PDB file of all heavy atoms in Angstrom:
ATOM      1  N   LEU A 139       0.229  21.514  18.448  1.00  0.00           N
ATOM      2  CA  LEU A 139       0.673  20.913  19.749  1.00  0.00           C
ATOM      3  C   LEU A 139       1.269  19.453  19.518  1.00  0.00           C
ATOM      4  O   LEU A 139       1.913  18.982  20.393  1.00  0.00           O
ATOM      5  CB  LEU A 139      -0.503  20.892  20.743  1.00  0.00           C
ATOM      6  CG  LEU A 139      -1.114  22.140  21.292  1.00  0.00           C
ATOM      7  CD1 LEU A 139      -2.184  21.781  22.115  1.00  0.00           C
ATOM      8  CD2 LEU A 139       0.038  23.009  21.986  1.00  0.00           C
ATOM      9  N   ALA A 140       0.819  18.875  18.427  1.00  0.00           N
ATOM     10  CA  ALA A 140       1.154  17.433  18.130  1.00  0.00           C
ATOM     11  C   ALA A 140       2.759  17.324  18.321  1.00  0.00           C
ATOM     12  O   ALA A 140       3.218  16.191  18.932  1.00  0.00           O
ATOM     13  CB  ALA A 140       0.611  16.941  16.834  1.00  0.00           C
ATOM     14  N   GLU A 141       3.527  18.224  17.665  1.00  0.00           N
ATOM     15  CA  GLU A 141       4.901  17.783  17.701  1.00  0.00           C
ATOM     16  C   GLU A 141       5.532  17.865  18.961  1.00  0.00           C
ATOM     17  O   GLU A 141       6.470  16.969  19.327  1.00  0.00           O
ATOM     18  CB  GLU A 141       5.647  18.862  16.735  1.00  0.00           C
ATOM     19  CG  GLU A 141       5.712  20.328  17.333  1.00  0.00           C
ATOM     20  CD  GLU A 141       4.640  21.190  16.946  1.00  0.00           C
ATOM     21  OE1 GLU A 141       3.672  20.680  16.309  1.00  0.00           O
ATOM     22  OE2 GLU A 141       4.556  22.365  17.345  1.00  0.00           O
ATOM     23  N   LYS A 142       5.113  18.603  19.915  1.00  0.00           N
ATOM     24  CA  LYS A 142       5.763  18.605  21.416  1.00  0.00           C
ATOM     25  C   LYS A 142       5.189  17.428  22.096  1.00  0.00           C
ATOM     26  O   LYS A 142       6.127  16.784  22.837  1.00  0.00           O
ATOM     27  CB  LYS A 142       5.247  19.980  22.044  1.00  0.00           C
ATOM     28  CG  LYS A 142       5.657  21.169  21.343  1.00  0.00           C
ATOM     29  CD  LYS A 142       5.093  22.555  22.060  1.00  0.00           C
ATOM     30  CE  LYS A 142       5.572  23.679  21.465  1.00  0.00           C
ATOM     31  NZ  LYS A 142       5.010  24.908  21.984  1.00  0.00           N
ATOM     32  N   VAL A 143       3.946  17.145  22.016  1.00  0.00           N
ATOM     33  CA  VAL A 143       3.510  16.035  22.805  1.00  0.00           C
ATOM     34  C   VAL A 143       3.949  14.719  22.416  1.00  0.00           C
ATOM     35  O   VAL A 143       4.310  13.854  23.145  1.00  0.00           O
ATOM     36  CB  VAL A 143       1.863  16.120  22.766  1.00  0.00           C
ATOM     37  CG1 VAL A 143       1.246  14.955  23.596  1.00  0.00           C
ATOM     38  CG2 VAL A 143       1.429  17.422  23.249  1.00  0.00           C
ATOM     39  N   VAL A 144       4.008  14.489  21.044  1.00  0.00           N
ATOM     40  CA  VAL A 144       4.539  13.242  20.533  1.00  0.00           C
ATOM     41  C   VAL A 144       5.951  13.091  20.828  1.00  0.00           C
ATOM     42  O   VAL A 144       6.237  11.937  21.296  1.00  0.00           O
ATOM     43  CB  VAL A 144       4.267  13.240  18.929  1.00  0.00           C
ATOM     44  CG1 VAL A 144       4.969  12.034  18.442  1.00  0.00           C
ATOM     45  CG2 VAL A 144       2.755  13.138  18.650  1.00  0.00           C
ATOM     46  N   ALA A 145       6.729  14.030  20.791  1.00  0.00           N
ATOM     47  CA  ALA A 145       8.103  13.975  21.120  1.00  0.00           C
ATOM     48  C   ALA A 145       8.262  13.527  22.724  1.00  0.00           C
ATOM     49  O   ALA A 145       9.224  12.749  22.957  1.00  0.00           O
ATOM     50  CB  ALA A 145       8.823  15.248  20.882  1.00  0.00           C
ATOM     51  N   THR A 146       7.353  14.055  23.527  1.00  0.00           N
ATOM     52  CA  THR A 146       7.487  13.716  24.994  1.00  0.00           C
ATOM     53  C   THR A 146       7.240  12.243  25.052  1.00  0.00           C
ATOM     54  O   THR A 146       7.936  11.498  25.827  1.00  0.00           O
ATOM     55  CB  THR A 146       6.386  14.613  25.693  1.00  0.00           C
ATOM     56  OG1 THR A 146       6.787  15.930  25.614  1.00  0.00           O
ATOM     57  CG2 THR A 146       6.411  14.198  27.142  1.00  0.00           C
ATOM     58  N   TYR A 147       6.161  11.754  24.499  1.00  0.00           N
ATOM     59  CA  TYR A 147       5.869  10.234  24.663  1.00  0.00           C
ATOM     60  C   TYR A 147       6.895   9.454  24.025  1.00  0.00           C
ATOM     61  O   TYR A 147       7.137   8.403  24.614  1.00  0.00           O
ATOM     62  CB  TYR A 147       4.481  10.000  24.077  1.00  0.00           C
ATOM     63  CG  TYR A 147       3.346  10.421  24.984  1.00  0.00           C
ATOM     64  CD1 TYR A 147       2.424  11.526  24.497  1.00  0.00           C
ATOM     65  CD2 TYR A 147       3.111  10.029  26.212  1.00  0.00           C
ATOM     66  CE1 TYR A 147       1.437  12.045  25.259  1.00  0.00           C
ATOM     67  CE2 TYR A 147       2.042  10.506  26.992  1.00  0.00           C
ATOM     68  CZ  TYR A 147       1.275  11.339  26.495  1.00  0.00           C
ATOM     69  OH  TYR A 147       0.253  11.946  27.354  1.00  0.00           O
ATOM     70  N   ILE A 148       7.528   9.705  22.909  1.00  0.00           N
ATOM     71  CA  ILE A 148       8.569   8.922  22.270  1.00  0.00           C
ATOM     72  C   ILE A 148       9.687   8.906  23.346  1.00  0.00           C
ATOM     73  O   ILE A 148      10.250   7.811  23.514  1.00  0.00           O
ATOM     74  CB  ILE A 148       8.975   9.746  20.964  1.00  0.00           C
ATOM     75  CG1 ILE A 148       8.007   9.557  19.929  1.00  0.00           C
ATOM     76  CG2 ILE A 148      10.276   8.946  20.466  1.00  0.00           C
ATOM     77  CD1 ILE A 148       8.229  10.440  18.725  1.00  0.00           C
ATOM     78  N   HIS A 149      10.119  10.030  23.878  1.00  0.00           N
ATOM     79  CA  HIS A 149      11.246   9.988  24.968  1.00  0.00           C
ATOM     80  C   HIS A 149      10.805   8.959  26.076  1.00  0.00           C
ATOM     81  O   HIS A 149      11.620   8.299  26.606  1.00  0.00           O
ATOM     82  CB  HIS A 149      11.504  11.371  25.409  1.00  0.00           C
ATOM     83  CG  HIS A 149      12.318  12.150  24.527  1.00  0.00           C
ATOM     84  ND1 HIS A 149      13.587  11.701  23.997  1.00  0.00           N
ATOM     85  CD2 HIS A 149      12.206  13.440  23.998  1.00  0.00           C
ATOM     86  CE1 HIS A 149      14.138  12.566  23.333  1.00  0.00           C
ATOM     87  NE2 HIS A 149      13.302  13.665  23.221  1.00  0.00           N
ATOM     88  N   LEU A 150       9.477   9.175  26.520  1.00  0.00           N
ATOM     89  CA  LEU A 150       9.096   8.386  27.671  1.00  0.00           C
ATOM     90  C   LEU A 150       9.247   6.824  27.436  1.00  0.00           C
ATOM     91  O   LEU A 150       9.671   5.993  28.195  1.00  0.00           O
ATOM     92  CB  LEU A 150       7.756   8.800  28.054  1.00  0.00           C
ATOM     93  CG  LEU A 150       7.094   8.117  29.389  1.00  0.00           C
ATOM     94  CD1 LEU A 150       8.150   8.273  30.562  1.00  0.00           C
ATOM     95  CD2 LEU A 150       5.745   8.675  29.593  1.00  0.00           C
TER      96      LEU A 150
END
Side-chain angles (χ1 to χ4, degrees):
L139 294 178
E141 69 273 5
K142 299 176 183 177
V143 179
V144 170
T146 297
Y147 285 116
I148 294 170
H149 280 308
L150 184 54

